[in-house]
């Protein structure tokens, strides 16, 4: 598929593009974002007040706790089962069959100036991509396929992907539901990339543990922010597909919390100019959701890119 080769090209020439960017202020792989999260649940103190740290492997166990019953009798632990399910989501999204028209639309989108800037820039950025009216979309869509494709293709040295397909986690009995589940899933994936790291906590470890076990969104966001500081220089892609599935009355507040948090991380990282770029892609939120989020970010409409591409052609 043309889009696949386009993404492969991005992976191959990304280092050269990054090197050609104007130098920023002195960069460090350690992120000065310890005071990033300011929520009712968590207020993060300065570094000298950090109480202690928890091994990333233990944090993964807390985040994957709802897989404990699933793991029983499989010979795998809960963390392995959870990560396996999330990898299966990528395969499921990529298996969504696209018509020739949908493939063409996806190609126009990925070649658009806005999308290209989001992907290639060494700065942290957030982009929201719309496919069509959310009421017309199924569990998976063209953008689901794109997120799956990117999640697989962009996993290279110095580049990491944290995908989450919201539509696959909405039915009764499904794991990682709502904004809380989304944040649990991406944080679990992030921590799994640094399995032997000691992650500093913003509060007493017993309080952090209690928050993780109870699924407190603020605590999970805090752990995500702290874990970012353990990554080396590179680019981290957070790919959130089908945001409208978390736009119900019961889920909208958590989803708003998560999106605003990620937007704040993007803005802080861009401002301090560290060696880690965070690229957040959110697809297909409802208009009501996006109005409530009230965040700054690039808005991109796939249908408009088709019209622009056809006109330019």
């Amino acid at each position: 598929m043309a889009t696949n080769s386009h993404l492969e090209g991005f992976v191959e020439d990304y280092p050269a593009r990054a090197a050609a960017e104007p130098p920023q202020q002195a960069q460090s792989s350690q992120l000065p974002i310890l005071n990033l999260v300011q929520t009712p649940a968590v207020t993060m103190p300065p570094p000298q007040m950090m109480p202690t740290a928890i091994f990333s492997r233990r944090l993964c166990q807390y985040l994957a706790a709802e897989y404990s019953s699933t793991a029983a009798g499989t010979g795998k632990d809960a963390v392995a089962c959870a990560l396996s399910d999330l990898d299966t989501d990528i395969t499921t999204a990529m298996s969504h069959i696209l018509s020739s028209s949908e493939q063409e639309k996806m190609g126009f989108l990925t070649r658009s100036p806005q999308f290209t800037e989001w992907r290639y820039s060494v700065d942290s950025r957030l982009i929201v991509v719309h496919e069509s009216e959310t009421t017309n979309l199924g569990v998976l869509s063209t953008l689901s396929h794109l997120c799956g494709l990117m999640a697989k293709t962009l996993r290279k040295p110095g580049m990491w992907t944290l995908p989450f397909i919201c539509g696959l986690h909405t039915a009764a009995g499904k794991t990682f539901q709502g904004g809380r589940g989304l944040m649990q899933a991406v944080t679990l994936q992030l921590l799994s990339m640094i399995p032997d790291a000691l992650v500093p906590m913003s509060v007493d470890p017993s309080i952090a543990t209690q928050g993780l076990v109870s699924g407190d969104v603020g605590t999970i966001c805090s752990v995500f922010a702290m874990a970012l500081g353990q990554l080396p220089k590179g680019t981290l892609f957070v790919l959130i597909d089908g945001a409208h599935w978390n736009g119900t009355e019961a889920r909208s507040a958590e989803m708003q919390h998560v999106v605003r948090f990620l937007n704040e991380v993007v803005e802080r990282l861009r401002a301090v100019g560290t060696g880690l770029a965070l690229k957040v892609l959110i697809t297909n939120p409802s208009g009501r959701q996006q109005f409530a989020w009230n965040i700054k970010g690039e808005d991109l409409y796939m249908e408009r890119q088709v019209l622009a591409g056809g006109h330019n052609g």
Side-chain angles (χ1 to χ4, degrees):
M1 185 183 295
T3 303
N4 195 0
S5 60
H6 192 53
L7 290 175
E8 289 285 4
F10 163 61
V11 173
E12 292 171 1
D13 64 10
Y14 180 83
R17 284 177 176 263
E21 289 284 336
Q24 301 178 359
Q25 55 185 294
Q27 295 184 337
S28 168
S29 59
Q30 282 297 113
L31 307 181
I33 58 174
L34 296 181
N35 63 344
L36 178 72
V37 183
Q38 302 291 340
T39 72
V42 176
T43 300
M44 304 177 75
Q48 64 270 20
M49 296 175 59
M50 296 301 291
T52 187
I54 302 177
F55 277 108
S56 54
R57 291 185 188 273
R58 177 59 61 88
L59 294 170
C60 285
Q61 292 171 2
Y62 297 143
L63 291 166
E66 62 183 305
Y67 275 84
S68 297
S69 58
T70 303
T74 65
K76 298 190 295 184
D77 63 16
V79 173
C81 287
L83 293 173
S84 177
D85 263 14
L86 292 169
D87 278 342
T88 299
D89 286 352
I90 298 175
T91 303
T92 301
M94 290 182 64
S95 66
H96 179 66
I97 299 175
L98 304 183
S99 66
S100 58
S101 173
E102 289 170 330
Q103 292 182 36
E104 183 180 34
K105 291 177 182 179
M106 194 167 69
F108 280 127
L109 171 70
T110 57
R111 292 190 296 271
S112 67
Q114 299 97 320
F115 196 87
T116 300
E117 178 69 14
W118 172 78
R119 280 174 35 213
Y120 281 105
S121 171
V122 295
D123 292 331
S124 296
R125 292 175 183 264
L126 183 148
I127 190 171
V128 179
V129 182
H130 306 265
E131 186 167 344
S132 63
E133 291 294 329
T134 56
T135 54
N136 299 327
L137 296 174
V139 171
L140 297 175
S141 68
T142 304
L143 292 178
S144 304
H145 183 99
L146 177 60
C147 285
L149 186 62
M150 292 180 66
K152 182 178 180 180
T153 307
L154 299 182
R155 286 181 175 175
K156 304 288 181 179
M159 299 172 66
W160 310 275
T161 63
L162 307 177
F164 188 76
I165 313 298
C166 296
L168 297 178
H169 295 269
T170 58
K174 286 290 186 179
T175 54
F176 294 141
Q177 294 200 21
R180 170 192 57 79
L182 186 166
M183 208 62 218
Q184 284 177 313
V186 297
T187 304
L188 175 63
Q189 292 175 84
L190 173 60
L191 290 167
S192 72
M193 300 187 306
I194 49 171
D196 299 315
L198 267 173
V199 181
M201 293 292 103
S202 61
V203 295
D204 184 272
S206 63
I207 297 175
T209 298
Q210 183 179 1
L212 290 176
V213 172
S214 65
D216 178 73
V217 177
T219 303
I220 300 168
C221 288
S222 171
V223 171
F224 182 91
M226 294 299 189
L228 282 179
Q230 307 301 310
L231 288 181
K233 297 179 181 180
T235 304
L236 178 67
F237 293 89
V238 176
L239 310 170
I240 301 172
D241 176 64
H244 64 283
W245 289 104
N246 288 336
T248 62
E249 183 176 353
R251 296 173 176 169
S252 59
E254 277 189 353
M255 190 64 178
Q256 176 177 302
H257 184 120
V258 167
V259 172
R260 285 183 174 178
F261 162 74
L262 291 173
N263 182 63
E264 179 72 4
V265 177
V266 165
E267 291 185 350
R268 292 293 182 91
L269 287 176
R270 186 166 59 235
V272 300
T274 70
L276 178 68
L278 177 64
K279 305 300 184 81
V280 179
L281 168 66
I282 304 173
T283 78
N284 292 326
S286 67
R288 183 176 181 179
Q289 275 181 298
Q290 201 166 359
F291 178 80
W293 295 347
N294 190 29
I295 61 173
K296 296 179 181 179
E298 186 77 43
D299 262 304
L300 194 54
Y301 293 81
M302 190 163 70
E303 296 292 341
R304 296 179 189 177
Q305 300 310 310
V306 174
L307 294 175
H311 178 75
N312 293 336

